[in-house]
Amino acid sequence: MLVDSVRSVLFSTSSVLAADDKEFDPNTVTPGVWGFVVTFLVMVAVVLLVLDMVRRIRRTKYRAQVRAQIEAENEAAARDAELGSYDEGEGPDAAGTTPDRPTE
């Protein structure tokens, strides 16, 4: 019973929609000026988002390069400070060990 009533509603709706489809020529239907304007605005938004994304990626890459350069400079400075703290003749030997220093 319920199925029959749903079927009759769907059939009547589809016949009304089919009747409306024949009122216009499908070859003359176009999106018009508003369709062009909306498509153009979407295109502009996408281009601006892509430019912003490229700028952010480039900035992140440069920050990583600067961090790596600062770390390398800090390691070199620490190594130079370590080597400079030894007196002449008391630096590390060929094996990399330091001789025992007498304590006072």
Side-chain angles (χ1 to χ4, degrees), residues 65-85:
Q65 288 175 349
V66 168
R67 278 193 200 116
Q69 183 180 4
I70 290 172
E71 287 177 7
E73 289 173 358
N74 287 341
E75 288 175 5
R79 196 172 338 117
D80 290 344
E82 182 180 320
L83 291 177
S85 68

Side-chain angles (χ1 to χ4, degrees), residues 6-86:
V6 170
R7 230 183 254 160
S8 66
V9 169
L10 290 176
F11 180 72
S12 64
T13 306
S14 65
S15 65
V16 169
L17 291 176
D20 289 342
D21 287 343
K22 295 179 182 178
E23 292 180 9
F24 60 90
D25 184 15
N27 295 326
T28 61
V29 177
T30 63
V33 174
W34 284 109
F36 173 76
V37 169
V38 170
T39 304
F40 182 78
L41 291 176
V42 168
M43 180 192 67
V44 168
V46 167
V47 167
L48 291 175
L49 285 172
V50 167
L51 291 175
D52 183 57
M53 180 186 66
V54 167
R55 186 186 62 179
R56 289 175 187 265
I57 290 172
R58 187 179 303 134
R59 187 183 313 154
T60 303
K61 184 176 73 170
Y62 288 152
R63 285 181 182 168
Q65 288 175 349
V66 168
R67 278 193 200 116
Q69 183 180 4
I70 290 172
E71 287 177 7
E73 289 173 358
N74 287 341
E75 288 175 5
R79 196 172 338 117
D80 290 344
E82 182 180 320
L83 291 177
S85 68
Y86 295 114

